[in-house]
Amino acid sequence: MIETQRSIHEVLTNIEKVIIGKHEVTTLSLAALLAKGHVLLEDVPGVGKTMLVRALAKSLDCSFNRIQFTPDLLPSDVTGVSIYHPHTQQFEYRKGPIVGDIVLADEINRTSPKTQSALLEAMEESSVTVDGETVMINQPFFVMATQNPIEYEGTYPLPEAQLDRFLIKLEMGYPTEDEELKMLSLTGGLHPIEALTAVIDKRNVVAMQEDVNRVYIDPLVQQYIIKLVRQTRQHDAVQLGVSPRGAIGLMRVAKAYAYIQNRDYVIPDDVVYLAPYVLAHRLILTHEAKYAKMTGAQVIQTVLNQIDVPARKDFN
């Protein structure tokens, strides 16, 4: 466990050579990867979304594929195609960019729903189907999709089914003045991403994912997760609450976060901290709530305030 903790610290430190002042975002992204989940990163252009994914891939010695989503992108441009070879009289599968280790789906809301749906099977099943043939995607497999929250002209909002596939939703946010000044000094010459080297390899990542599965979560904490999820379905501001997939996702990322914090067990505070990142984007609010400018994160916070957190004395 000590060696693993050292590796995790080295990965985070390595990424933060490029991504300044975003320790929380970096940690949550790594937690999603170790939980075998995917991240939706929503923020304005130029705050380092692409650089975060590249730095993560380089630090873990994983392949990095980037898909620029545009209105004319076809599903086959994502999944790959079968090409017929006259000499062998056979079809050969040419894999698409989704078949990789770490994939950046850039500006996912700029492409058609048909192409967006090409990601669904890959993200949920770790496989793609081309011409009736299923191609498995090996672990580690991590998709970080980005979208711009400002420009909505010519975009296609993600359907609820696809939003539910993302384990967590994050925002980068603008850096502080000191952090921005540090960025200028770091990027004055050779960009730090070019000098970044791997600190662990993908076999270690897969081993860590297996370790995360073995992290203990007490039945009382599981019950607390279920209470949170069920309460969202009864909230006055919510039209459609969190699905069972959301409850499973919260448990998985809580295990991964506990693992990163050098614990082999989940505590209730992990759930409290992670709930807004995991659950808020899965809610569909009522028209009245939207008109009142309520957000999913605000709803989750009210739900957290309504339910008692399991106390230490409750555990065996």
Side-chain angles (χ1 to χ4, degrees):
M1 193 71 177
I2 295 175
E3 186 63 35
T4 299
Q5 190 63 22
R6 185 183 297 116
S7 297
I8 290 174
H9 176 73
E10 288 175 352
V11 169
L12 295 175
T13 302
N14 206 47
I15 296 172
E16 287 166 8
K17 293 177 182 177
V18 178
I19 307 298
I20 308 300
K22 301 298 176 187
H23 181 76
E24 184 176 52
V25 173
T26 303
T27 302
L28 290 172
S29 298
L30 182 60
L33 187 152
L34 294 181
K36 298 183 181 180
H38 309 284
V39 172
L40 178 62
L41 193 54
E42 183 178 80
D43 220 318
V44 297
V47 293
K49 300 188 293 293
T50 302
M51 208 57 63
L52 170 62
V53 192
R54 287 185 61 192
L56 183 62
K58 276 201 166 191
S59 299
L60 303 178
D61 197 25
C62 292
S63 66
F64 170 71
N65 294 338
R66 182 176 183 268
I67 310 172
Q68 182 63 55
F69 282 83
T70 56
D72 60 347
L73 196 73
L74 299 175
S76 59
D77 295 328
V78 175
T79 61
V81 295
S82 293
I83 299 176
Y84 180 73
H85 289 271
H87 298 297
T88 60
Q89 297 184 346
Q90 290 182 336
F91 285 93
E92 178 183 334
Y93 170 65
R94 295 287 179 88
K95 65 181 182 180
I98 193 63
V99 182
D101 298 330
I102 294 182
V103 180
L104 172 64
D106 209 5
E107 295 191 291
I108 189 175
N109 57 334
R110 294 207 173 276
T111 196
S112 67
K114 185 176 182 180
T115 304
Q116 289 174 359
S117 66
L119 287 175
L120 289 178
E121 181 189 4
M123 292 172 59
E124 187 68 17
E125 307 295 339
S126 293
S127 65
V128 295
T129 302
V130 179
D131 295 334
E133 296 292 327
T134 299
V135 179
M136 299 305 298
I137 305 175
N138 296 324
Q139 292 292 337
F141 172 57
F142 176 65
V143 175
M144 181 173 280
T146 71
Q147 63 179 4
N148 184 347
I150 303 300
E151 297 179 10
Y152 289 108
E153 186 176 352
T155 63
Y156 302 86
L158 293 178
E160 289 73 25
Q162 182 140 344
L163 279 173
D164 208 32
R165 256 64 173 194
F166 289 101
L167 184 58
I168 59 178
K169 181 180 177 182
L170 299 173
E171 297 177 2
M172 292 285 286
Y174 285 116
T176 64
E177 184 176 347
D178 289 340
E179 290 166 355
E180 203 157 8
L181 185 61
K182 188 175 181 181
M183 288 179 193
L184 293 183
S185 63
L186 285 174
T187 56
L190 180 68
H191 198 287
I193 190 69
E194 304 301 332
L196 213 61
T197 57
V199 293
I200 62 173
D201 61 36
K202 65 175 70 177
R203 290 175 300 176
N204 296 117
V205 177
V206 174
M208 288 179 180
Q209 289 176 329
E210 296 303 317
D211 288 341
V212 165
N213 289 334
R214 292 189 285 270
V215 171
Y216 176 73
I217 180 167
D218 192 275
L220 281 176
V221 181
Q222 291 179 326
Q223 189 176 32
Y224 178 56
I225 291 173
I226 296 302
K227 286 181 179 180
L228 291 177
V229 168
R230 295 182 69 85
Q231 187 65 24
T232 66
R233 303 169 193 164
Q234 302 169 9
H235 198 284
D236 293 338
V238 176
Q239 180 180 340
L240 186 65
V242 176
S243 68
R245 183 190 284 123
I248 295 170
L250 182 53
M251 179 184 70
R252 283 169 46 205
V253 77
K255 285 185 171 187
Y257 185 75
Y259 182 77
I260 290 173
Q261 301 301 318
N262 198 25
R263 281 187 273 105
D264 59 0
Y265 58 92
V266 176
I267 60 175
D269 285 349
D270 296 333
V271 177
V272 173
Y273 170 66
L274 294 165
Y277 298 106
V278 180
L279 305 182
H281 66 281
R282 303 172 190 268
L283 300 176
I284 298 180
L285 303 184
T286 62
H287 294 297
E288 293 79 10
K290 292 177 182 177
Y291 183 76
K293 299 187 183 301
M294 285 190 69
T295 65
Q298 290 173 336
V299 171
I300 295 301
Q301 194 56 56
T302 61
V303 169
L304 288 169
N305 293 338
Q306 291 170 356
I307 299 176
D308 293 333
V309 179
R312 186 182 296 274
K313 62 182 178 60
D314 297 327
F315 295 90
N316 293 325

